[in-house]
């Protein structure tokens, strides 16, 4: 069957471009986004497992991933693999230019403004933004939610938003994911290592009671205020 046609819609909210994009997860990851203030809600049309930019491709068994109905591709930002799903995940991409006042040359601080915004839209008591150094675990190179990076959001120690970042001479692209439902049984079997499969099932993930349009509306309001 031919691939579904991607669809994009954008509006302006003051100086932010706000968009919704529907299509293949791998197709959107391959797109170059302009380095200006923009927020994209991405709605993948099929489940996907997206590896970090430097992740070992051998972490995933492609045959098993195919049997499970998962696209497998690589993003340009770092970290471990992220599971994306049309119903159960929330995926947001945010871009800024290097000349933006939000830009910070210090990569350990550069995503904290966005973490603060994401924490605010969660509307959950006890939400915190991680401001310390990267917290790694034996599985954080394979699983995004097994580690904790600066600017990522937690509730009572459970990660809410994972945030990975790609920086260039022109600007930064922040790729953010949260889960309406965390269902490792839908993707963990695609990992080649049995220990990684087990670790995915034991991760502490805080689910969010939001749908995509509501998240985008709250983000738009927070960023334009």
């Amino acid at each position: 069957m031919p691939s579904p046609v991607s669809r994009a819609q954008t509006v302006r909210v003051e100086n932010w471009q706000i968009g919704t994009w529907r299509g293949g997860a791998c197709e959107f990851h391959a797109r170059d986004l302009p380095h200006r203030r923009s927020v994209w809600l991405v709605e993948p049309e099929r489940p996907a497992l997206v590896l970090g930019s430097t992740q070992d491709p051998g972490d995933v068994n492609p045959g098993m991933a195919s049997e499970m109905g998962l696209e497998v591709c690589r993003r340009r930002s770092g970290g471990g693999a992220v599971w994306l799903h049309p119903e159960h995940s929330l995926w947001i991409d945010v871009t800024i230019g290097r000349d933006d006042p939000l830009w910070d040359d210090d990569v350990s601080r550069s995503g904290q403004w966005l973490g603060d915004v994401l924490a605010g839209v969660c509307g959950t008591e006890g939400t915190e933004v991680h401001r310390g150094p990267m917290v790694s675990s034996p599985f954080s190179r394979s699983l995004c939610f097994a580690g904790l990076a600066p600017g990522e959001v937690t509730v009572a120690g459970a990660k809410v938003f994972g945030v990975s970042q790609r920086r260039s001479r022109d600007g930064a692209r922040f790729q953010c994911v949260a889960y309406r439902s965390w269902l490792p049984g839908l993707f963990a079997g695609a990992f080649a290592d049995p220990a990684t499969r087990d670790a995915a099932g034991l991760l502490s993930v805080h689910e969010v009671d939001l749908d995509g349009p509501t998240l985008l509306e709250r983000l738009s309001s927070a960023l334009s205020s």
Side-chain angles (χ1 to χ4, degrees):
M1 294 179 61
S3 300
V5 177
S6 61
R7 301 178 297 280
Q9 298 176 335
T10 61
V11 297
R12 282 282 180 185
V13 177
E14 294 187 4
N15 60 340
W16 285 90
Q17 177 178 317
I18 309 296
T20 300
W21 193 92
R22 298 178 180 89
C26 298
E27 182 183 355
F28 190 80
H29 277 294
R31 289 168 61 98
D32 288 320
L33 299 181
H35 287 101
R36 59 172 180 255
R37 288 190 172 189
S38 66
V39 180
W40 289 93
L41 170 69
V42 189
E43 300 178 338
E45 293 188 326
R46 59 175 292 194
L49 199 57
V50 182
L51 279 62
S53 58
T54 62
Q55 187 171 354
D56 185 349
D59 282 355
V60 173
N61 180 325
M64 184 59 68
S66 179
E67 286 185 24
M68 299 180 72
L70 294 166
E71 280 191 288
V72 179
C73 56
R74 187 180 297 279
R75 64 182 183 273
R76 301 180 191 180
S77 54
V82 169
W83 171 58
L84 299 172
H85 191 277
E87 298 174 12
H88 303 304
S89 65
L90 293 170
W91 171 13
I92 294 285
D93 268 22
V94 179
T95 60
I96 60 171
R98 185 175 281 268
D99 59 350
D100 194 296
L102 293 170
W103 174 271
D104 194 320
D105 287 333
D106 187 335
V107 69
S108 66
R109 295 193 308 257
S110 58
Q112 290 184 1
W113 69 269
L114 180 56
D116 289 336
V117 172
L118 293 171
V121 305
C122 286
T124 303
E125 186 175 351
T127 302
E128 296 184 356
V129 179
H130 180 59
R131 301 185 188 281
M134 175 71 188
V135 178
S136 300
S137 78
F139 298 99
S140 55
R141 292 183 65 85
S142 299
L143 297 162
C144 170
F145 272 57
L148 188 61
E152 294 190 319
V153 181
T154 63
V155 173
K159 188 183 286 193
V160 183
F161 274 98
V163 182
S164 61
Q165 181 180 174
R166 181 186 181 222
R167 294 158 65 86
S168 72
R169 63 182 182 182
D170 298 314
R173 178 176 179 173
F174 302 90
Q175 301 194 292
C176 316
V177 66
Y179 293 98
R180 304 179 68 194
S181 302
W182 175 250
L183 302 170
L186 297 184
F187 70 92
F191 286 98
D193 176 31
T196 304
R197 297 196 292 267
D198 292 341
L202 297 174
L203 291 178
S204 183
V205 177
H206 184 87
E207 298 171 346
V208 295
D209 187 20
L210 294 171
D211 59 18
T214 302
L215 173 60
L216 192 60
E217 180 181 1
R218 290 187 182 183
L219 273 174
S220 302
S221 177
L223 289 168
S224 61
S225 62

